[in-house]
Amino acid sequence: MPESIARAIESAPPTSARRLIAAGLIRRRPGSTLALRATPAGVTGTIRKAVTR
């Protein structure tokens, strides 16, 4: 592939076919940590006791 075409492909904006695959968050509170992840298949999460370091 010519270098000019390769550069054009690399700098092209994302297409409308792209979509968000997963979103998540981690929230740390005194005594526990909450982790949440949402995907097209569903939502999962965990709550864990805080680990002292």
Side-chain angles (χ1 to χ4, degrees), residues 5-32:
I5 294 174
R7 272 189 268 136
I9 291 171
E10 289 174 0
S11 64
T15 65
S16 59
R18 287 188 170 194
R19 65 181 191 275
L20 181 65
I21 300 300
L25 68 87
I26 297 174
R27 175 146 311 155
R28 292 180 177 88
R29 293 184 168 187
S32 65

